[in-house]
Amino acid sequence: MRTALWLIPTFPLLSAVLLAIFGPRFSRRTTALLGVGSIALAALISLGIAADFLLSPPPEGRYSQSLGSWIRVDDLRVPIGFVLDPLSLTMILIVTCVGFLIHLYAADSMRGEEGYSRFFAYMNLFVAAMGVLVLADNFLLLYLGWEGVGLCSYLLIGFRYTNSENGRAARKAFIVTRVGDTALAIGLFFLFTQLGTLDIAAAMQHAVAEWPIGSPLAITAAALILVGAIGKSAQLPLQVWLPDAMAGPTPTSALIHAATMVTAGVYLIARTASFFILAPPVQTVVAVIGAATLLIAGFSALVQTDLKRVLAYSTISQIGYMFLALGVGAWSAAIFHLMTHAFFKALLFLSAGVVIHAMEGEQNLFRMGGLRRIVPLAFWGFLIGGASMAGLPLITAGFYSKGEILWGTWIGGGPVLWAAGVIGVVLTTLYTFRLFFLVFFGRTEAEAAPRPGFLIRIPLVVLSLLSIFGGFINLPSRPRLSRFLHAALPPDREGAPGRLTPFGSEVIVAAAFMVGLLLAYELYLRRRAAVRGLMRLPMAAGMYTLWYTGWGWDLFYDRRVVRPVKALARAARSDWIDLIYIGLARLTTLSYDALRRTETGRIRWYVGGIAAGTVLFIGLVLFI
């Protein structure tokens, strides 16, 4: 079964090519069958390979598959090769299975949209690129998938391109993530020149053998990889593109947030963990960035009025938890939270799509209310997904993954980072149930919405079950997933636990959840007038504006980066280098005009021209 590994990205890629070329000729039914069916095949193959891997583990815990040579120049050899180990297997299951559920939902929800085949072509290419990124055994192939997901996110965010705002959001996402991509590309060149290989496993082995811990080479390599991961995963200071990416269709948002784009950075750091272990200062920066991001994004989510922007900031915050875990050496906890996050975040976005459809496109939270009887399926989806994201104790997947991160933070990061994580639990619960109470409780003016179709109900039900039971795979008493991942990840960092026990940490996390829930209940269900009164205070209004605008990062970039670059471009528009190109363009235009005048349509003029040319040619032959 493992020999079918190459088919996982191939099926989505083939369907993307077919839909791109012949899509307009296909019926919508054929398009849906091709678009969804290819992801279903990829998911089935992934499940079969997972069963094979678990029942008969390969030697050394990994399976490699070579499909030929891609580049062969002098000493540079780049194969097309895939690797299957516990880390890539876990990731590919998330990408294909959650991706399939999102595709199934999209087959119904996007049915009335113009560009139906184009949408599935982009979505399938997205899954194919993520598959290449996850399975690649060398850095160059990984970078191909890395750029592929960047391209697909640009195409999907700007899918409804007739709206100029959507095009602006797509360009913003593309340009901001290019900053990280450029750093990663430089990092790959650096690794090749220093270690002489692009094979991921070989490069890390060479680095461990040759670079002392804390050496400048290790710090440089880890720092460049980190900047690449920050861009893709929307962490400080490159988080500004993700809230605006909500311009894309809702299934696109679900795919970007749950199973592809933003998880790529977390996967990259986990895949290259050895470089970060060799560079402790950079690993500490990873933890600090994660803690700061989860808090800043949590406060911003607390005041957003757009339903999807709340979810966007919640993604930035939850990815921050994963960075925090990676930074403190809780490697398996980060991947565990990535998995549970895929379940509840996909559920939340797809439920949001049902709500927005029922409200005929309305996304403002304060124009909603009382929808629990209008869209009961979305009500239960939000309740389960939100409770899991906030960490409802004992019965949700998010509680166990977040609890593991916070215990790992206490062990490997200390009380300050741990306190940031606990405050993040309060914020997550507060903004999640603020959204929940505003949307589903209170008065309603909406009319009864059409009942969601079968293709929409199935993904919501399956994701609800996964959001509840998905965490039981890694209970503190039986950490099956952590033991499985430890074959591909470094052992968790050890430290002095102090007086806090794992049980005590979970009790505090549960208490933080209850504090957030009580605050949300009092502020947004019982005493909304008190919130409105609070907002009239000057300091509260100022904080609201700061948080609402994402702490002013967009304004900062506009003033300090965008405007100076535009001014520089305007100043450089008429320099002497441009005069060369302008002169060449004008010379070409004059030459064209001169030749165009020879095209008179008169035979004698053409005969005369041929005769003159012949004389000139003979003269050149005779006298030169």
Side-chain angles (χ1 to χ4, degrees):
M1 192 68 199
R2 293 170 204 154
T3 55
L5 187 63
W6 64 281
L7 290 174
I8 294 175
T10 301
F11 277 125
L13 180 62
L14 281 177
S15 64
V17 172
L18 288 173
L19 288 168
I21 297 174
F22 305 108
R25 299 180 184 178
F26 291 153
S27 67
R28 290 184 178 257
R29 183 182 178 82
T30 305
T31 297
L33 281 173
L34 198 56
V36 180
S38 61
I39 307 300
L41 285 173
L44 286 173
I45 293 170
S46 300
L47 289 170
I49 289 175
D52 185 32
F53 193 95
L54 293 172
L55 293 174
S56 58
E60 301 179 356
R62 55 186 280 138
Y63 168 73
S64 297
Q65 184 175 53
S66 179
L67 302 175
S69 183
W70 179 15
I71 297 174
R72 186 186 293 265
V73 179
D74 198 16
D75 294 334
L76 177 62
R77 300 283 186 276
V78 182
I80 302 174
F82 294 142
V83 63
L84 187 72
D85 63 3
L87 178 59
S88 60
L89 178 59
T90 304
M91 285 296 298
I92 205 65
L93 285 172
I94 295 169
V95 173
T96 56
C97 295
V98 176
F100 164 67
L101 293 171
I102 295 170
H103 273 69
L104 198 63
Y105 176 98
D108 193 343
S109 68
M110 295 294 292
R111 194 176 297 276
E113 289 270 352
E114 186 179 351
Y116 192 63
S117 61
R118 180 166 55 88
F119 173 78
F120 276 105
Y122 294 164
M123 291 280 278
N124 287 11
L125 187 61
F126 210 160
V127 174
M130 193 66 189
V132 171
L133 191 161
V134 167
L135 294 174
D137 70 348
N138 64 79
F139 281 116
L140 203 56
L141 196 59
L142 181 148
Y143 194 72
L144 178 69
W146 186 270
E147 288 299 324
V149 297
L151 170 66
C152 293
S153 66
Y154 165 76
L155 294 172
L156 283 165
I157 293 168
F159 175 72
R160 294 163 177 153
Y161 57 86
T162 52
N163 186 331
S164 60
E165 284 298 312
N166 296 349
R168 189 191 64 80
R171 290 194 299 275
K172 183 178 180 181
F174 193 76
I175 292 169
V176 173
T177 55
R178 288 285 77 71
V179 176
D181 293 358
T182 303
L184 180 59
I186 295 171
L188 300 191
F189 285 120
F190 178 80
L191 289 173
F192 180 71
T193 54
Q194 295 298 322
L195 301 173
T197 179
L198 286 172
D199 184 275
I200 298 173
M204 289 196 291
Q205 287 172 0
H206 287 316
V208 171
E210 299 171 12
W211 293 350
I213 294 178
S215 68
L217 292 176
I219 290 175
T220 303
L224 290 169
I225 293 172
L226 172 60
V227 177
I230 286 172
K232 274 287 188 288
S233 291
Q235 296 293 285
L236 279 174
L238 299 177
Q239 80 286 5
V240 293
W241 65 270
L242 193 58
D244 289 355
M246 296 300 98
T250 300
T252 297
S253 303
L255 194 63
I256 289 175
H257 289 245
T260 54
M261 182 83 164
V262 297
T263 62
V266 178
Y267 171 76
L268 179 66
I269 293 178
R271 173 56 76 195
T272 58
S274 296
F275 294 125
F276 289 87
I277 292 174
L278 291 173
V282 181
Q283 193 174 358
T284 301
V285 171
V286 175
V288 172
I289 287 175
T293 305
L294 74 89
L295 291 177
I296 286 176
F299 281 111
S300 290
L302 197 56
V303 296
Q304 298 302 310
T305 56
D306 185 289
L307 172 59
K308 288 177 69 176
R309 286 182 74 89
V310 175
L311 297 181
Y313 276 108
S314 77
T315 297
I316 298 173
S317 181
Q318 298 306 307
I319 298 291
Y321 271 109
M322 298 174 208
F323 268 63
L324 175 61
L326 295 169
V328 300
W331 306 99
S332 60
I335 301 302
F336 182 31
H337 195 57
L338 188 155
M339 184 190 77
T340 60
H341 178 263
F343 300 152
F344 59 68
K345 189 49 60 71
L347 175 61
L348 286 169
F349 266 110
L350 299 187
S351 299
V354 175
V355 170
I356 294 169
H357 178 69
M359 295 296 294
E360 298 179 342
E362 180 60 67
Q363 295 184 195
N364 191 321
L365 295 173
F366 292 94
R367 294 175 187 163
M368 300 179 183
L371 292 179
R372 63 185 184 280
R373 294 189 180 87
I374 307 294
V375 282
L377 186 66
F379 169 77
W380 287 107
F382 259 104
L383 181 60
I384 294 170
S388 188
M389 181 167 71
L392 177 65
L394 302 178
I395 59 171
T396 59
F399 170 74
Y400 293 106
S401 60
K402 200 170 289 182
E404 191 171 325
I405 286 176
L406 290 173
W407 174 242
T409 302
W410 177 265
I411 292 292
V416 175
L417 291 175
W418 179 84
V422 173
I423 294 170
V425 174
V426 178
L427 286 174
T428 305
T429 310
L430 185 55
Y431 69 68
T432 300
F433 282 92
R434 166 184 177 265
L435 180 153
F436 182 70
F437 291 141
L438 290 175
V439 171
F440 295 104
F441 289 83
R443 290 191 309 174
T444 179
E445 297 179 1
E447 299 179 355
R451 186 179 171 83
F454 183 71
L455 298 182
I456 289 179
R457 294 200 300 272
I458 289 294
L460 291 178
V461 171
V462 174
L463 288 169
S464 296
L465 294 174
L466 291 172
S467 297
I468 296 173
F469 300 111
F472 294 167
I473 194 173
N474 206 44
L475 293 172
S477 58
R478 303 186 70 179
R480 298 187 188 90
L481 181 65
S482 294
R483 289 173 185 162
F484 179 63
L485 287 170
H486 281 164
L489 293 173
D492 291 346
R493 183 186 292 177
E494 295 182 358
R499 296 180 179 177
L500 188 66
T501 64
F503 177 75
S505 177
E506 289 191 352
V507 169
I508 292 174
V509 172
F513 171 85
M514 294 307 299
V515 169
L517 181 61
L518 184 62
L519 281 173
Y521 176 75
E522 289 292 331
L523 295 175
Y524 300 107
L525 198 59
R526 288 192 62 195
R527 305 175 194 274
R528 291 189 188 180
V531 177
R532 287 193 288 270
L534 181 66
M535 293 310 302
R536 295 191 187 97
L537 299 175
M539 181 178 292
M543 293 303 293
Y544 174 89
T545 303
L546 182 65
W547 295 349
Y548 185 79
T549 56
W551 296 77
W553 280 96
D554 275 318
L555 183 65
F556 172 78
Y557 283 131
D558 184 59
R559 296 274 176 87
R560 302 300 177 196
V561 179
V562 177
R563 292 186 187 183
V565 168
K566 284 185 175 178
L568 191 62
R570 281 193 293 270
R573 187 180 295 171
S574 57
D575 63 6
W576 65 271
I577 295 177
D578 279 347
L579 291 177
I580 296 174
Y581 296 104
I582 293 171
L584 283 173
R586 289 182 177 172
L587 180 63
T588 305
T589 304
L590 290 173
S591 302
Y592 164 75
D593 285 339
L595 290 172
R596 184 171 58 82
R597 294 179 188 280
T598 64
E599 209 173 326
T600 62
R602 297 175 181 175
I603 299 298
R604 59 185 178 184
W605 174 262
Y606 294 152
V607 172
I610 292 170
T614 303
V615 171
L616 179 62
F617 179 74
I618 293 173
L620 289 172
V621 171
L622 290 175
F623 297 107
I624 295 179

